[in-house]
């Protein structure tokens, strides 16, 4: 008969049976008990990182710093009770970590409550020193953003933007009640649902998104003058504001808004555009382009020329190509276009702008 696979022969000795290799036991409990790090953040001006870690039920904040980056547990929450920790931020100097406890509410405004606690659950914002100590509760809300100065936390609650000082002696309770005038406060009241607070480099202003269901605006709130200005407002959906390093401009994405309560259409492959607005005046680059297009069409018609086949998208593509060439040739920060008449037809003049 066949001897293929006979254990004695496979072992290399006719009278010895190969011993099976010893295997370490690997249990299902080990699989489920493995720690899971998440939400890694780093300090802008210090060699320190922080993250959240899920370990057999509870979620806690951890940190590590140069040169050895040895992990250190900061918070000591215990119990497998379903408390989420969905957000974490670290100050620019790495001295303070701010985090959120509690899951996000569903569309009915109900927060996750896996233990069916009679009082329910809310989202709360906490802070802790990276040198150690106990965490302190700042306010009720979410989307916390530390100011570059490290003194304030902007956050969202009930569709409005609030702020609270980071210093533990100035904190407030989970309902946001003020303590000697220095607790959490609503910065302003604006229509729609307001969120995405973004600090200016000098910590004096906050850019934000004002969602109006079928469109949205980018606003800037000045904390000193307590005034709001809007960045090139229109009927589109503007989002994701970002400040220039010198705080003079705000860049953001713009996508088409919904038309008369309907869904936004993207006929012709309408692309997402990046706008750059002047933080002081609110004027945006694309608004200038649209004005130039309208003036070009009007001038061409006044000259008796045809505008058949001239679409805004084609016009914008040509202007962008020209703008890029002029900026590169003259090392300019931007380009301004003007319409004039040349040889009986509408023409464009590109003027480089150097700041």
């Amino acid at each position: 008969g066949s001897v293929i696979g006979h254990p004695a022969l496979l072992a290399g000795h006719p009278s010895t049976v190969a011993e099976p290799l010893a295997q370490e036991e690997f249990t299902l409990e080990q699989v489920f008990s493995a720690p899971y790090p998440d939400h890694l953040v780093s300090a802008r001006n210090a060699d320190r990182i922080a993250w959240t870690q899920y370990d057999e039920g509870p979620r806690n904040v951890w940190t590590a710093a140069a040169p050895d980056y040895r992990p250190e547990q900061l918070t000591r929450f215990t119990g497998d009770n379903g408390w989420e920790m969905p957000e974490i931020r670290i100050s620019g100097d790495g001295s303070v970590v701010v985090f959120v406890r509690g899951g996000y509410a569903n569309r009915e405004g109900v927060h996750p409550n896996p233990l069916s606690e009679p009082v329910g659950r809310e989202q709360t914002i906490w802070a802790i020193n990276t040198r150690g100590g106990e965490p302190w509760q700042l306010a009720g809300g979410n989307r916390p953003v530390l100011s570059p100065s490290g003194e304030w936390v902007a956050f969202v609650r009930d569709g409005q933007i609030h702020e609270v000082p980071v210093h533990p002696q100035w904190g407030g309770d989970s309902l946001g009640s003020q303590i000697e005038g220095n607790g959490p406060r609503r910065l302003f009241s604006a229509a729609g649902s307001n969120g995405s607070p973004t600090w200016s480099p000098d910590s004096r202003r906050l850019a934000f998104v004002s969602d109006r269901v079928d469109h949205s605006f980018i606003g800037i709130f000045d904390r000193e003058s307590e005034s709001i200005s809007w960045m090139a407002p229109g009927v589109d959906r503007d989002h994701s504001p970002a400040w220039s390093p010198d705080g003079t401009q705000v860049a953001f994405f713009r996508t088409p808004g919904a038309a008369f309560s309907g869904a936004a259409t993207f006929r012709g492959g309408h692309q997402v555009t990046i706008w750059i607005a002047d933080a002081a005046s609110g004027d945006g680059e694309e608004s200038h382009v649209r004005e130039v297009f309208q003036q070009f069409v009007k001038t061409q018609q006044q000259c008796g020329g045809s505008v058949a086949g001239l679409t805004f998208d084609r016009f914008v593509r040509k202007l962008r190509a020209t703008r890029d060439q002029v900026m590169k040739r003259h090392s300019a920060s931007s380009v301004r276009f003007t319409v004039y008449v040349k040889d009986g037809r509408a023409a464009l003049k590109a003027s480089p702008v150097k700041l």
Side-chain angles (χ1 to χ4, degrees):
S2 173
V3 294
I4 297 177
H6 193 281
L9 297 180
L10 289 177
H13 193 284
S15 61
T16 303
V17 177
E19 294 291 335
L21 294 176
Q23 295 183 354
E24 295 183 4
E25 185 179 2
F26 188 59
T27 66
L28 190 60
E29 182 180 359
Q30 290 176 312
V31 174
F32 284 115
S33 63
Y36 185 84
D38 201 3
H39 305 300
L40 177 67
V41 294
S42 62
R44 178 182 292 272
N45 304 315
D47 294 329
R48 180 177 287 277
I49 60 176
W51 66 94
T52 64
Q53 185 160 301
Y54 174 86
D55 192 353
E56 297 190 69
R59 292 171 173 85
N60 280 287
V61 176
W62 289 67
T63 187
D68 57 352
Y69 286 97
R70 181 174 60 86
E72 298 179 28
Q73 184 175 344
L74 292 180
T75 61
R76 302 287 174 178
F77 297 114
T78 60
D80 188 3
N81 46 29
W83 276 103
E84 300 179 33
M85 195 174 285
E87 299 178 59
I88 183 173
R89 304 286 186 269
I90 189 169
S91 60
D93 62 2
S95 64
V96 174
V97 171
V98 172
F99 59 95
V100 173
R101 288 200 82 204
Y104 297 111
N106 58 21
R107 63 184 62 187
E108 283 77 31
V110 179
H111 294 271
N113 185 13
L115 298 185
S116 298
E117 297 171 356
V119 296
R121 288 187 177 181
E122 302 287 340
Q123 282 189 306
T124 51
I125 302 171
W126 296 68
I128 190 168
N129 197 302
T130 54
R131 294 190 300 270
E134 294 297 319
W136 62 93
Q137 188 170 312
L138 294 175
N142 55 35
R143 312 295 183 187
V145 184
L146 277 154
S147 65
S149 67
E151 297 178 300
W152 299 90
V153 171
F155 63 97
V156 178
R157 183 169 65 221
D158 300 328
Q160 299 294 338
I161 296 175
H162 299 64
E163 72 172 6
V164 62
V166 177
H167 196 283
Q169 296 178 354
W170 296 348
D173 62 20
S174 62
L175 299 178
S177 62
Q178 295 189 7
I179 299 178
E180 297 181 357
N182 290 325
R185 72 181 184 104
R186 186 176 64 185
L187 289 175
F188 57 87
S189 180
S193 179
N194 302 283
S196 302
T198 307
W199 289 96
S200 62
D202 61 3
S203 302
R204 186 173 62 87
R205 294 161 294 170
L206 272 168
F208 63 95
V209 177
S210 184
D211 188 352
R212 308 297 175 89
V213 183
D214 56 359
H215 64 287
S216 57
F217 302 135
I218 301 296
I220 292 180
F221 174 73
D222 191 309
R223 298 170 68 242
E224 293 183 357
S225 65
E226 295 194 341
S227 60
I228 297 175
S229 56
W230 303 102
M231 302 294 100
V235 294
D236 300 298
R237 286 193 173 101
D238 300 337
H239 58 92
S240 305
W243 289 88
S244 61
D246 61 2
T248 61
Q249 295 177 312
V250 173
F252 56 91
F253 289 110
R254 171 164 287 183
T255 57
F260 302 104
S261 300
T265 58
F266 295 84
R267 296 174 182 172
H270 188 99
Q271 70 274 15
V272 175
T273 57
I274 299 175
W275 282 55
I276 301 177
D278 182 88
S281 66
D283 293 335
E285 178 185 342
E286 292 287 340
S287 62
H288 164 64
V289 171
R290 187 171 292 275
E291 291 171 1
V292 171
F293 172 73
Q294 294 172 346
Q295 185 62 38
F296 185 90
V297 171
K298 181 179 179 180
T299 303
Q300 184 74 341
Q301 291 173 334
Q302 290 175 342
C303 293
S306 173
V307 293
L310 179 60
T311 65
F312 178 71
D313 286 343
R314 291 180 57 187
F315 188 83
V316 168
R317 286 196 294 269
K318 182 177 179 180
L319 256 64
R320 285 175 178 164
T322 302
R323 178 195 60 191
D324 293 342
Q325 294 174 3
V326 173
M327 290 177 63
K328 183 177 181 180
R329 186 182 307 127
H330 297 277
S331 300
S333 59
S334 62
V335 176
R336 299 295 293 180
F337 292 96
T338 54
V339 180
Y340 70 103
V341 178
K342 179 180 180 181
D343 299 329
R345 300 179 60 185
L348 287 174
K349 178 182 179 181
S351 302
V353 178
K354 297 184 179 181
L355 298 179

